[in-house]
């Protein structure tokens, strides 16, 4: 199980780009990196997933360096509605469901 | 499009009473289904997952059980609730056994 480390909380002003970094030093060869967003009293929402380099979709970008020991979720021009908890998951479910582990995530607060 | 339903939305039950939470998925067939629990201020804990009818895997020993009587129905049960069973229960589905999961709205259970 690849352990992940994220900042507990972050603050950002509206309109700024926010980068949330996740450390996963013992990531395995077959592991993917997945990010979720969770609003209070709601289920998490899948944001983005990647294996290496850069992945971009309509919501966010995911940057993964060559050594894959960390990853950065980038949210462009955040708004107040982006205030949420963001989870980084790393693993390969082919080795078992114990890799489905959501830690406590990063609580992002967007300030007007 | 796919939709996932959970009910009830909130539930208050006394210690020692039984529990039945239901989750159904629409718009897909043979989904992988998951039950998670989130205690207050904590991350999500995977409780059960199912890759098919009557195929249930338990990840955490507890007084809860799960059943999948139909392809798109997943039920979480308990014969006698404990105070420690309080939490936010989330059902999720995925097209295959993967990190790309889609969560329902959740059930907030308070055991008194």
């Amino acid at each position: 199980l690849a352990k992940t480390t994220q900042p507990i909380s972050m603050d950002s002003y509206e309109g700024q780009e926010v980068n949330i970094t996740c450390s996963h030093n013992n990531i395995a060869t077959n592991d993917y990196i997945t990010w979720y967003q969770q609003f209070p009293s709601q289920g998490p929402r899948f944001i983005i997933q990647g294996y290496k380099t850069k992945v971009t979709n309509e919501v966010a970008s995911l940057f993964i360096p060559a050594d894959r020991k960390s990853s950065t979720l980038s949210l462009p021009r955040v708004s107040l509605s982006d205030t949420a908890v963001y989870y980084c998951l790393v693993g390969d479910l082919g080795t078992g469901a114990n890799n489905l582990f959501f830690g406590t995530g990063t609580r992002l607060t967007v300030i007007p | 499009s796919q939709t996932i339903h959970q009910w009830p939305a909130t539930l208050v039950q006394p210690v020692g009473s039984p529990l039945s939470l239901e989750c159904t998925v629409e718009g897909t067939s043979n989904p992988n289904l998951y039950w998670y629990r989130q205690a207050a201020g904590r991350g999500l804990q995977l409780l059960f997952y199912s890759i098919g009818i009557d195929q249930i895997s338990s990840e955490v020993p507890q007084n809860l059980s799960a059943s999948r009587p139909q392809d798109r129905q997943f039920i979480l049960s308990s014969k006698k609730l404990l105070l420690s069973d309080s939490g936010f229960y989330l059902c999720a589905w995925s097209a295959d056994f993967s990190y790309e999961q889609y969560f329902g709205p959740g059930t907030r259970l308070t055991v008194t």
Side-chain angles (χ1 to χ4, degrees):
Chain A
L1 173 63
K3 181 179 178 180
T4 60
T5 302
Q6 303 175 234
I8 294 174
S9 64
M10 295 178 66
D11 293 338
S12 176
Y13 287 102
E14 242 184 325
Q16 289 188 331
E17 178 184 71
V18 171
N19 296 311
I20 305 175
T21 298
C22 179
S23 297
H24 28 82
N25 291 320
N26 59 340
I27 189 169
T29 303
N30 293 332
D31 288 347
Y32 277 75
I33 300 158
T34 310
W35 285 82
Y36 280 85
Q37 174 193 56
Q38 185 179 25
F39 297 113
S41 298
Q42 294 187 25
R45 180 175 77 111
F46 172 87
I47 300 176
I48 198 166
Q49 183 180 77
Y51 182 80
K52 62 180 179 180
T53 64
K54 177 183 175 182
V55 180
T56 297
N57 61 23
E58 65 278 5
V59 177
S61 295
L62 178 59
F63 297 93
I64 305 169
D67 66 7
R68 305 200 325 124
K69 293 185 183 297
S70 66
S71 58
T72 299
L73 175 72
S74 181
L75 305 173
R77 297 183 298 282
V78 293
S79 64
L80 296 177
S81 62
D82 292 316
T83 293
V85 177
Y86 293 83
Y87 297 96
C88 165
L89 281 73
V90 174
D92 168 25
L93 292 185
T95 61
N98 61 323
N99 286 321
L100 271 171
F101 178 74
F102 289 73
T104 51
T106 298
R107 183 173 299 278
L108 172 66
T109 302
V110 180
I111 306 164
Chain B
S1 63
Q2 300 84 11
T3 310
I4 180 168
H5 303 278
Q6 282 186 250
W7 63 91
T10 59
L11 190 60
V12 180
Q13 293 283 97
V15 168
S17 63
L19 173 73
S20 181
L21 302 181
E22 189 163 344
C23 170
T24 59
V25 181
E26 296 177 356
T28 187
S29 58
N30 197 30
N32 288 270
L33 297 172
Y34 311 81
W35 277 113
Y36 290 85
R37 176 172 60 200
Q38 186 172 34
R42 309 285 293 275
L44 278 72
Q45 178 186 38
L46 177 66
L47 301 175
F48 300 94
Y49 69 94
S50 170
I51 62 172
I53 293 175
D54 295 330
Q55 294 178 281
I56 312 291
S57 296
S58 174
E59 289 301 304
V60 181
Q62 61 227 324
N63 69 321
L64 300 172
S65 62
S67 61
R68 184 171 176 175
Q70 300 180 45
D71 180 45
R72 288 169 287 180
Q73 183 184 31
F74 206 21
I75 297 172
L76 183 70
S77 304
S78 174
K79 292 182 179 178
K80 289 186 177 182
L81 284 168
L82 306 173
L83 285 174
S84 58
D85 291 324
S86 293
F88 191 41
Y89 287 82
L90 289 155
C91 180
W93 76 272
S94 63
D96 50 23
F97 194 47
S98 79
Y99 283 96
E100 187 172 347
Q101 300 182 12
Y102 299 90
F103 285 78
T107 295
R108 188 162 301 282
L109 171 67
T110 303
V111 182
T112 60

